[in-house]
Amino acid sequence: MSSQAEIIAKDGAQAFSILKTLTDEERSDALHQIYHGLKDHKQDILDANKIDMKNAIDHNLSSSLVRRLNLEDKGKFDSMLQGILDVANLEDPVGKITLAKKLDDGLNLYRVTAPIGTLLIIFESRPEVIANITSLAIKSGNSAILKGGKESYQTFKVMSNIISQILQQKTKVPNKAIQLIESRNEVNDLLSQDRYIDLVIPRGSNELVRNIKSSTKIPVLGHADGICAIYVDDEFDDINKAINIIIDSKTNYPAGCNAVEQLLINKNVSQIDINHIINKLIESKVICNVTDEVKSLLTTTINSDYIKSVESDSFDKEFLSFEIAITLIDSLDQAISHINLHSSKHTDCIITANKTKAEKFLKGIDSAGVYWNCSTRFADGFRYGFGTEVGISTNKIHARGPVGLEGLMSYQYQLKGNGHIVSEYVGAGGNKVFIHEDLPLK
Amino acid sequence: MSSQAEIIAKDGAQAFSILKTLTDEERSDALHQIYHGLKDHKQDILDANKIDMKNAIDHNLSSSLVRRLNLEDKGKFDSMLQGILDVANLEDPVGKITLAKKLDDGLNLYRVTAPIGTLLIIFESRPEVIANITSLAIKSGNSAILKGGKESYQTFKVMSNIISQILQQKTKVPNKAIQLIESRNEVNDLLSQDRYIDLVIPRGSNELVRNIKSSTKIPVLGHADGICAIYVDDEFDDINKAINIIIDSKTNYPAGCNAVEQLLINKNVSQIDINHIINKLIESKVICNVTDEVKSLLTTTINSDYIKSVESDSFDKEFLSFEIAITLIDSLDQAISHINLHSSKHTDCIITANKTKAEKFLKGIDSAGVYWNCSTRFADGFRYGFGTEVGISTNKIHARGPVGLEGLMSYQYQLKGNGHIVSEYVGAGGNKVFIHEDLPLK
């Protein structure tokens, strides 16, 4: 007998098989129908949302969480609806030809973008995200199994029922293309459905992502850590610009995965500048974990309340708070080697006025984002202009960095012939030779 | 204390960090040096090769294996050398700009191709493959840990020592960029080095690939199964063309992963044509596993020695021999749904003269290769014109189908600014807005 998880996963895969054949018009039309459905049922959704908020308050959850739950906060409901239309109006990501080759007369090979399949997406307690992810999944032709944070469960459930009914009654998209699941237990069972589920996208705590990565054979797209570094070369052009970048990277939102966690300073940077940088960090209430070498350079003007000695793991740590690790570095090569060994391959930055050094850094660093003279906080799908993002990936295969619609695509090779068989070609028994001529990409 | 596997993996990762900064000229020059080194030591290599062949004969291994081992067979040594130069002369796959966007004045985003990192490649007992894979790895800027089949061990060892010395003495490529390991035990230990190894590429038996997939957290690129299907629509234009494709797909090399394993025939195909197809399969000594429905249509002219009834797993099975499963199908939709459920997402083909149906099949089937009117045996890197291939992938993320140099590449986002910080932009505390203007791809 099939388990509940197997039924859900197989339903998703079978819905995908139909969704995959639909045109962009059919997929985008479904998004317009969902837009109208959610708009027409606004009151039902807000009623459910009030229950979630009341539960959160009753359970004494933080006011910032309650605000995140609130769909009426700052026009969130309307911008959620607009987001659905925005995704519907994006260019069709399916069926783009990225390679075309004539193998022989009448035998043409095309590499064509195609959706990945069935996605399992786990996300936080933000009710608008369900609309967002549903839009991205349908537009890209992927089916999705969704598990949202339990604090927004009532809102999710009402919205998911509306979406399911709309898909069933008014669109060509099978309603099992979007399935909402309720409990963490179901997630655990689904993680073993590698026959039907093609990709897991967890958004949430590092611990969640790490647990998922270690308990499934399905590829996982996401990041467990965001250990970002800034290397201050001795040839920067303006100390204030350098300090601005460092302070912004550390303090704009220290809980973000793109916040900087370690500062590498070239040993030829002057003692005055090093003290200046550290003073500014301390003015911003940042605790500085420094090596003995850095400590020996600090002047008496430094507020020692904010100075700590580095520990053995200080350079392998995501502080996620007003705290940073600082060390001196001998050379650009050492900086590259330190970062490649210690960073989590998220986003790393060099501050220098020397273009040659910058280019070497950008080429040598093995991270999704490699930055020159700007804040690590730019690592974000909205800031990159990708529209909606499903997350940020520190994977090194498939999608890296902020993942938008394109990151949800794969490709397939189409081969179109007219009775061609290999036994007529050299190497397989015959003597015909391949032409292998590039064709224009239509 | 570090384990032996950790040392090997970390050495590979550190070599990658240097290799990644080298120019195409430096990487290609290393290949030319390897070419000369192997050429100059031809006799040493052939002497070692003779030991491997003697061992194989002493252990009574099959003559086809002994022939595969033999580097002097059919000019294999020279074509191996030529292969190194061919890869050296390919266009540089590193640093291609695939997206360029102006985020704001002076703040430009580029998506640039970059190598993946450290690869663990497990391959069969064919001595020339080590030169082949070494070339692809160095050209693409990836470091590689290699484990070849034990039957060619002596040849591998001599070649690997030569390569290592050449890299050390004559090139800028660190010699740890290519490491040969000796035993299966080391492979098992390396599979836990997910901190340093980015991708495992196993070539070999299905069992090997399956074992590796289930025992590592590192992404695995490859295929455990090649369950390919052909769907014969009722609107094909020429029964002989259809039969040619089916026979070629099944019999040209039945042990290949791209051989067809199941035949789906539309129920409106005439009884005469169905018997004709099955008769031709039987003339080619193919055992036909048929459903009761197919069996009921067979005429007395069919040689019943070759007819078996399908079993419960006949459509989930890779026969890898002169054997095939055959069923009737009601419609194109049913064919798509059957294949998406049963195929291993390798390569599937429709035979039809109806373009609309063909396009629906190509769009609906969720496999790396989707073919129209040609043999499934075309699924191969050489036939696709990719030059050398490292394997065929049935993964759905990253590289799919035959994997050449491009499949060994990833990408990174480079962001180049001039002191830009996010706290000046909307959403992060400021009021500047992003420009998000596409730039020309240089």
Side-chain angles (χ1 to χ4, degrees):
Chain A
M1 210 184 84
S2 299
S3 70
Q4 184 63 22
E6 188 178 344
I7 293 169
I8 294 170
K10 194 173 173 181
D11 281 350
Q14 287 181 328
F16 168 64
S17 189
I18 295 168
L19 178 56
K20 193 168 185 300
T21 63
L22 302 186
T23 63
D24 181 44
E25 202 181 353
E26 290 163 338
R27 282 175 275 123
S28 299
D29 175 66
L31 297 193
H32 283 100
Q33 297 296 341
I34 290 172
Y35 165 85
H36 289 296
L38 294 176
K39 195 175 173 189
D40 294 347
H41 292 83
K42 179 172 180 176
Q43 201 49 53
D44 300 338
I45 296 166
L46 293 181
D47 289 347
N49 190 231
K50 288 204 180 74
I51 301 175
D52 280 331
M53 283 194 292
K54 180 169 183 309
N55 286 339
I57 293 163
D58 290 351
H59 287 81
N60 204 18
L61 300 182
S62 72
S63 60
S64 67
L65 179 66
V66 176
R67 191 163 357 106
R68 271 218 305 275
L69 287 178
N70 185 359
L71 258 180
E72 288 191 288
D73 189 43
K74 291 184 186 168
K76 213 187 275 175
F77 190 90
D78 292 336
S79 67
M80 172 186 86
L81 288 183
Q82 183 57 43
I84 299 172
L85 298 183
D86 289 347
V87 173
N89 293 332
L90 288 174
E91 190 189 350
D92 185 14
V94 179
K96 289 186 183 171
I97 297 176
T98 59
L99 175 150
K101 214 183 261 273
K102 176 178 180 170
L103 301 195
D104 197 359
D105 288 325
L107 184 68
N108 291 338
L109 178 72
Y110 303 92
R111 190 176 62 200
V112 176
T113 61
I116 292 171
T118 304
L119 317 176
L120 171 60
I121 307 178
I122 298 146
F123 52 100
E124 63 276 40
S125 295
R126 284 168 53 198
E128 71 277 21
V129 170
I130 193 173
N132 191 330
I133 291 178
T134 295
S135 312
L136 281 175
I138 292 176
K139 180 76 183 186
S140 62
N142 291 289
S143 75
I145 301 166
L146 308 177
K147 166 72 177 76
K150 63 179 185 305
E151 293 82 3
S152 353
Y153 179 64
Q154 298 299 333
T155 323
F156 284 146
K157 198 172 164 185
V158 169
M159 288 175 67
S160 145
N161 285 340
I162 296 167
I163 292 170
S164 178
Q165 276 180 29
I166 295 280
L167 291 180
Q168 177 88 40
Q169 293 164 6
K170 303 197 169 174
T171 80
K172 293 204 172 172
V173 174
N175 76 332
K176 297 285 184 189
I178 303 293
Q179 299 179 84
L180 181 74
I181 59 168
E182 306 194 6
S183 75
R184 282 287 308 150
N185 288 343
E186 284 178 307
V187 171
N188 290 336
D189 294 342
L190 284 165
L191 290 175
S192 64
Q193 297 298 321
D194 55 308
R195 177 165 180 188
Y196 300 115
I197 298 176
D198 298 298
L199 187 65
V200 183
I201 305 179
R203 302 165 34 137
S205 72
N206 303 358
E207 202 194 334
L208 170 80
V209 178
R210 251 190 295 266
N211 283 344
I212 286 174
K213 284 198 176 197
S214 65
S215 54
T216 184
K217 280 196 271 179
I218 307 170
V220 178
L221 189 72
H223 66 276
D225 291 300
I227 305 180
C228 303
I230 292 178
Y231 170 59
V232 183
D233 182 46
D234 53 331
E235 293 188 66
F236 58 82
D237 61 349
D238 176 347
I239 183 67
N240 293 316
K241 210 189 273 179
I243 287 171
N244 270 343
I245 293 172
I246 296 164
I247 299 292
D248 187 82
S249 298
K250 181 69 254 180
T251 68
N252 181 258
Y253 182 57
C257 59
N258 53 14
V260 71
E261 306 292 8
Q262 49 193 272
L263 186 60
L264 319 177
I265 305 179
N266 186 283
K267 63 166 198 250
N268 296 323
V269 172
S270 74
Q271 189 180 4
I272 293 173
D273 284 340
I274 293 174
N275 276 275
H276 193 169
I277 292 168
I278 291 176
N279 245 330
K280 287 288 182 182
L281 281 164
I282 291 173
E283 279 177 19
S284 298
K285 315 275 181 224
V286 177
I287 293 166
C288 299
N289 298 272
V290 302
T291 58
D292 289 347
E293 208 180 359
V294 173
K295 196 178 261 179
S296 71
L297 297 173
L298 297 181
T299 60
T300 52
T301 60
I302 294 282
N303 179 346
S304 61
D305 292 352
Y306 285 88
I307 301 296
K308 283 195 200 168
S309 288
V310 290
E311 292 173 7
S312 62
D313 66 345
S314 293
F315 293 96
D316 297 294
K317 199 167 171 177
E318 190 177 20
F319 295 105
L320 291 171
S321 63
F322 284 80
E323 199 161 349
I324 196 166
I326 307 178
T327 187
L328 296 187
I329 286 280
D330 291 340
S331 65
L332 176 59
D333 284 342
Q334 200 201 336
I336 292 174
S337 139
H338 173 101
I339 292 174
N340 284 345
L341 194 63
H342 294 283
S343 99
S344 66
K345 311 203 186 296
H346 188 298
T347 302
D348 301 287
C349 174
I350 184 172
I351 299 178
T352 185
N354 181 319
K355 186 168 189 296
T356 308
K357 284 189 191 168
E359 293 294 351
K360 181 163 185 184
F361 182 91
L362 298 185
K363 192 167 181 193
I365 293 295
D366 180 32
S367 299
V370 282
Y371 284 21
W372 179 19
N373 287 344
C374 51
S375 168
T376 57
R377 290 268 303 138
F378 282 106
D380 170 278
F382 165 71
R383 291 173 193 142
Y384 279 13
F386 294 174
T388 315
E389 84 177 22
V390 287
I392 291 190
S393 163
T394 56
N395 291 17
K396 294 181 65 184
I397 65 165
H398 196 71
R400 298 183 82 171
V403 178
L405 210 48
E406 244 185 277
L408 297 182
M409 303 307 293
S410 175
Y411 60 78
Q412 299 179 281
Y413 288 102
Q414 295 184 346
L415 186 63
K416 300 180 177 178
N418 180 21
H420 292 72
I421 58 178
V422 301
S423 57
E424 294 180 348
Y425 290 85
V426 278
N431 47 32
K432 285 171 84 171
V433 291
F434 289 99
I435 293 176
H436 289 154
E437 177 189 312
D438 286 336
L439 298 172
L441 300 178
K442 284 173 287 196
Chain B
M1 213 185 81
S2 300
S3 70
Q4 183 63 23
E6 187 178 346
I7 293 169
I8 293 170
K10 194 173 174 181
D11 281 350
Q14 287 181 326
F16 168 64
S17 190
I18 296 167
L19 177 56
K20 191 167 188 300
T21 64
L22 301 186
T23 63
D24 181 46
E25 202 182 354
E26 289 163 338
R27 283 175 275 124
S28 299
D29 176 64
L31 297 193
H32 283 99
Q33 297 295 342
I34 290 172
Y35 165 85
H36 289 297
L38 295 177
K39 195 175 174 191
D40 294 348
H41 291 84
K42 179 172 180 177
Q43 200 49 55
D44 300 338
I45 296 166
L46 293 181
D47 289 347
N49 190 231
K50 288 204 180 72
I51 300 174
D52 280 331
M53 284 193 293
K54 181 168 182 310
N55 285 339
I57 293 164
D58 290 352
H59 286 82
N60 205 18
L61 300 182
S62 73
S63 60
S64 67
L65 178 66
V66 175
R67 194 167 350 110
R68 272 218 304 275
L69 288 178
N70 186 358
L71 258 180
E72 287 190 289
D73 190 44
K74 291 185 186 167
K76 211 187 275 175
F77 190 89
D78 291 337
S79 67
M80 170 186 87
L81 289 183
Q82 183 56 44
I84 299 171
L85 298 183
D86 290 347
V87 172
N89 293 332
L90 288 173
E91 191 188 351
D92 185 13
V94 179
K96 290 186 183 172
I97 297 176
T98 59
L99 176 150
K101 213 181 262 271
K102 176 178 179 169
L103 301 194
D104 197 0
D105 288 324
L107 184 67
N108 291 337
L109 178 73
Y110 303 93
R111 189 176 61 200
V112 176
T113 61
I116 292 170
T118 304
L119 317 176
L120 171 60
I121 306 179
I122 298 147
F123 52 100
E124 62 275 39
S125 294
R126 284 168 51 198
E128 71 277 19
V129 170
I130 193 174
N132 191 330
I133 290 178
T134 296
S135 312
L136 281 174
I138 292 176
K139 180 76 182 186
S140 62
N142 291 290
S143 74
I145 301 167
L146 307 177
K147 166 73 177 76
K150 63 179 186 302
E151 294 82 3
S152 354
Y153 180 62
Q154 298 299 332
T155 321
F156 284 146
K157 198 172 165 186
V158 169
M159 289 175 67
S160 145
N161 285 340
I162 295 167
I163 291 170
S164 179
Q165 275 181 30
I166 295 279
L167 292 179
Q168 177 88 41
Q169 293 165 6
K170 302 197 170 175
T171 81
K172 291 203 172 173
V173 174
N175 77 331
K176 297 285 186 190
I178 304 293
Q179 299 179 84
L180 181 74
I181 59 169
E182 306 193 5
S183 75
R184 282 287 308 152
N185 287 343
E186 283 178 308
V187 171
N188 290 336
D189 293 343
L190 284 165
L191 290 175
S192 64
Q193 296 299 319
D194 55 307
R195 177 165 180 189
Y196 300 114
I197 298 177
D198 299 298
L199 187 64
V200 183
I201 305 179
R203 302 168 29 140
S205 72
N206 302 357
E207 203 194 334
L208 170 80
V209 179
R210 251 190 294 265
N211 283 343
I212 286 174
K213 285 200 175 194
S214 64
S215 53
T216 185
K217 279 195 270 180
I218 307 170
V220 178
L221 189 72
H223 65 275
D225 291 299
I227 304 180
C228 303
I230 292 178
Y231 170 59
V232 183
D233 182 47
D234 53 332
E235 293 188 66
F236 58 83
D237 61 348
D238 176 347
I239 182 68
N240 292 316
K241 211 189 272 179
I243 287 171
N244 271 343
I245 292 171
I246 296 164
I247 299 292
D248 187 80
S249 298
K250 182 68 255 181
T251 68
N252 181 258
Y253 182 57
C257 59
N258 53 13
V260 70
E261 306 292 7
Q262 48 193 272
L263 187 59
L264 317 178
I265 305 178
N266 186 284
K267 63 166 197 248
N268 295 324
V269 171
S270 73
Q271 190 180 3
I272 294 174
D273 283 341
I274 293 175
N275 276 276
H276 195 170
I277 292 168
I278 292 177
N279 244 329
K280 287 289 181 181
L281 280 164
I282 292 173
E283 278 177 20
S284 299
K285 315 273 181 227
V286 177
I287 293 167
C288 298
N289 299 271
V290 302
T291 58
D292 289 345
E293 208 180 0
V294 173
K295 197 179 261 179
S296 72
L297 296 174
L298 297 181
T299 60
T300 52
T301 60
I302 294 282
N303 179 346
S304 61
D305 292 351
Y306 285 88
I307 301 296
K308 283 195 200 169
S309 288
V310 290
E311 291 172 9
S312 62
D313 66 345
S314 292
F315 292 96
D316 298 294
K317 199 167 171 177
E318 190 178 17
F319 294 105
L320 291 173
S321 63
F322 284 81
E323 201 161 348
I324 196 166
I326 307 177
T327 187
L328 296 187
I329 286 281
D330 291 339
S331 65
L332 176 60
D333 284 341
Q334 201 201 338
I336 292 174
S337 138
H338 173 101
I339 292 174
N340 283 346
L341 194 63
H342 294 283
S343 98
S344 65
K345 310 203 187 297
H346 188 298
T347 303
D348 301 288
C349 176
I350 184 172
I351 298 177
T352 185
N354 181 319
K355 186 168 189 295
T356 308
K357 284 188 190 170
E359 294 294 350
K360 180 160 186 186
F361 181 91
L362 299 185
K363 192 166 181 196
I365 293 295
D366 180 31
S367 300
V370 282
Y371 285 20
W372 179 20
N373 288 343
C374 52
S375 167
T376 57
R377 291 269 302 138
F378 282 107
D380 170 278
F382 164 71
R383 291 173 194 143
Y384 278 13
F386 294 173
T388 315
E389 84 177 22
V390 288
I392 291 190
S393 163
T394 55
N395 292 18
K396 293 181 64 186
I397 65 164
H398 198 70
R400 298 183 81 171
V403 178
L405 209 49
E406 245 185 277
L408 298 181
M409 302 309 293
S410 175
Y411 60 79
Q412 298 178 281
Y413 288 102
Q414 295 184 346
L415 186 62
K416 299 179 178 178
N418 181 21
H420 292 72
I421 58 177
V422 301
S423 57
E424 294 181 348
Y425 290 85
V426 278
N431 47 32
K432 285 171 84 171
V433 291
F434 289 100
I435 292 176
H436 289 154
E437 175 190 312
D438 287 335
L439 297 173
L441 300 178
K442 282 173 289 198

